[in-house]
Amino acid sequence: MLRTKIAGIGYYVPEKVVTNHDLAKVMDTTDEWIQERTGIVERRYGKKHKETTTSMAARASEVAIKRAGISKDEIDFIIFATLSPDYYFPGCGVLLQRELGITNTAAGALDIRNQCSGFVYGLSVADQFIRTGMYKNILLVGSEMHSMGLDFSTRGRNVTVIFGDGAGAMVLQPTQEDKGVLATSLHSDGTYAEKLAFINPGAHGGYHAAHMDEAQDFGYSDAEYGEMFINEHMIENGQIFPYMEGQFVFKMAVQKFPEVILETLEKAGLKKEDIDMLIPHQANLRISQFVQRRMGLRDDQVWNNIQKFGNTTAASVPIALCEAYEAGAVKDGDIVCLAAFGSGFTWAGAVIRW
Ligand code: ACO
């Protein structure tokens, strides 16, 4: 039976370290508040004008491609997950193709806009393409340059302190061995789309206003919405930044993480006792600790790096998995479980035999 194996993995985080104390200099927050609520101590920010979501993805991809032992022109499909693309369009997939110097135009490029679950969604998409024999070397990337789009005033503190920049990548190949992706699960519930959202610029023109909070809508008239993606009201009112109803998201996350992990294990014919390593999306250390307790896992069975990188959204799962691999915490034959929950809401799980 054809399966999808991880032939190579890599990650990249920018050099610049931004501590909680650094953020406390520009907004009303404290190291104590951030650490207590999220576990985050510091995060990385890309070098503005020198690094982008795409360039960081390229650095992570180069490592993954090298470890896979292939040439970049053997890549026959690119899947790029991000919520902070370089451009509104075209997507980062083609920009990455250019940045890596991939001249093979038979390589398709697909962008995934699923925020925190984007990488795990991408893994599931790649798995289908590989198992049907359509592609042989898929480059799957999650990358985020959040620092370009955050509100660094006190108004944005509940969101801004959480996020960091970085990228993770995998090369995925077919294998006849009993290893690789054993099962994936994908979920969505659009009911709460605006609870964690970045709605402007966009083509909504207030259409979804009934679902928006005041901070997102401000009750504009049609004329005030105008006929463009963005207008001066949105800029003046700070409605050009991510919005999150944190406690609501938190409550959903602690419910959905365990559900999707158990569901995916069951599909793979496994139980929670079979997990060797859980790689949760790094949303909040408190969420990961809750999930760890629910799964009955030891500290060394859950990889957490949010303390030093913050929440890197689509990049968080591959960065954490790559770190665990490089540290020797993931070994041949291990059952590795990936799980993510975020904006949409969308959530997803994957079980891999390493
Ligand atoms: N520093 C100091 N005070 C703050 C900060 C800050 N950075 N942020 C908020 N506060 C204040 C608030 O103003 C509020 O003050 P008030 O009581 O005087 O009104 C108080 O702290 C509590 O605010 P909450 O937002 O209720 O804080 P909470 O305990 O919920 O923690 C947090 C916020 C960390 C964001 C948490 O809700 C959380 O982690 N939620 C889940 C995040 C998540 O999983 N996101 C999904 C992935 S992200 C993605 O998909 C893109």
Side-chain angles (χ1 to χ4, degrees), residues 260-278:
V260 80
I261 293 167
L262 292 173
E263 176 196 350
T264 317
L265 283 167
E266 194 182 337
K267 279 189 196 169
L270 299 168
K271 301 182 296 300
K272 62 182 191 314
E273 291 73 23
D274 297 314
I275 297 177
D276 293 300
M277 177 60 73
L278 172 66

Side-chain angles (χ1 to χ4, degrees), residues 27-31 33-34 37-38 83 114-117 144 146 154 156-163 196-197 242 244-251 253-254 257 281-287 311 313-314 341-346:
M27 64 178 76
D28 183 12
T29 190
T30 61
D31 174 55
W33 192 98
I34 301 170
R37 305 282 176 126
T38 71
L83 69 66
N114 265 47
Q115 298 69 249
C116 299
S117 68
E144 305 285 0
H146 287 309
T154 295
R157 65 183 179 176
N158 70 319
V159 172
T160 299
V161 300
I162 297 174
F163 291 106
L196 174 48
M244 176 166 71
E245 208 180 294
Q247 292 200 11
F248 188 84
V249 178
F250 194 102
K251 282 179 196 148
V254 293
F257 267 102
H281 162 54
Q282 308 288 303
N284 183 322
L285 188 60
R286 310 296 160 234
I287 295 175
N311 177 348
T313 307
F341 173 89
S343 168
F345 293 131
T346 61

Side-chain angles (χ1 to χ4, degrees), residues 129-158:
F129 277 142
I130 291 207
R131 283 195 287 115
T132 55
M134 185 150 173
Y135 294 118
K136 303 254 175 308
N137 284 297
I138 297 184
L139 176 61
L140 169 63
V141 187
S143 181
E144 305 285 0
M145 180 93 168
H146 287 309
S147 60
M148 286 290 272
L150 294 170
D151 181 355
F152 286 96
S153 73
T154 295
R155 183 181 55 196
R157 65 183 179 176
N158 70 319

